[in-house]
Amino acid sequence: MSKPKSPTNQYQQEEDAFFVRRKPDPIPFSKFLYNSTEGTVLGRNATSWAKIGTFYMIFYCVLAALVAVCMWVFFQTLDPRTPKWQLDQSLIGTNPGLGFRPLPSEDNVESTLIWYKGTEEKNYKQWTDALDKFLEDYRTPGQISGRGQNIYNCDYTQQPPPRTVCDVDIKQYGPCTLENKYNYHKSAPCIFLKLNKIYGWIPEFFNESTQLPGNMPAELKDYIKTVEEKEKHTMNTVWVSCEGENSADIENVGAIKYYPRRGFPGYYYPYENSEGYLSPLVAVHFERPVRGIIINIECKAWARNIRHTNDRHERLGSVHFELLID
């Protein structure tokens, strides 16, 4: 005779059997993607998908509208020609740097060496081609937007009218012209200098020979005194000096001439991002540099508010390059 089951065990077994019988069969993945019987996609019918689509369409439209309004408000605070932060408040600051052209090739951007053989055109052509490209905008005014319609022939007695820019006539550069191959073929190359643009910066000129700084080269001081005697009205100039960095370099660099004048005329300043503006240039002609030796050269721009440092990495108000002609 078998032992009767306890009520607790019997109820437990009946409950387990009930849930086993109620366990649904797994749905195939293909039927989950699309169920033709119930008309659902991914487990949702057309009405459900329509509600979801409507919600997200409204959500992203509102989000896009908010972004558009924020951008519109942001651009209302900006002037396309006038930077918000200027001079001392800007990252650039108030001390312009000096740049030179031609530059070495892009695959050697850290180099400042201008090296070529004066007797081989294919060798110095890379430098004259680089100058051609750099001066192209100066040679063809129409290439710069607005350039040509608002050019004014400025001089020391005529400041440019509002919304005009001063002309930069590269025909006044003596031997430093395209037609003369910038004198590279004569082993007497021309290097072009430009002062970096700082919006609103106005130079404070050394326009009195009695107030020149002690560290200014003596040769430049003599030149300024001569200008003061003969052309005093041109004293409002950011003066430029180039010389060998060391005593050996000074001996090897030879005579230097500057075109069209020895500095950047004051009527080109302040820079205000006017349409068609081009920076003034100084062409430095090295007439007889010693060949076959590297010559270290430093050029400086001189104004009361241009500060120089001995740190060659900063190069405030100055520029360094080397010249080697084989």
Side-chain angles (χ1 to χ4, degrees), residues 270-290:
Y271 165 68
E272 295 180 331
N273 200 21
S274 300
E275 191 173 23
Y277 177 89
L278 289 174
S279 298
L281 303 174
V282 173
V284 184
H285 181 207
F286 297 90
E287 294 188 308
R288 291 181 299 276
V290 175

Side-chain angles (χ1 to χ4, degrees), residues 126-186:
Q126 63 166 319
W127 303 105
T128 57
D129 286 349
L131 284 176
D132 288 345
K133 185 176 181 180
F134 170 67
L135 295 172
E136 189 174 4
D137 292 335
Y138 291 84
R139 193 175 296 108
T140 311
Q143 294 207 158
I144 298 276
S145 176
R147 183 85 177 163
Q149 293 80 21
N150 61 342
I151 293 179
Y152 187 76
N153 291 322
C154 310
D155 59 38
Y156 286 95
T157 61
Q158 297 184 78
Q159 292 293 321
R163 296 182 296 278
T164 62
V165 295
C166 292
D167 189 24
V168 182
D169 187 4
I170 62 175
K171 296 178 181 177
Q172 301 180 12
Y173 290 173
C176 305
T177 60
L178 167 66
E179 296 74 19
N180 200 44
K181 299 179 181 178
Y182 311 104
N183 237 43
Y184 276 69
H185 63 302
K186 296 181 180 179

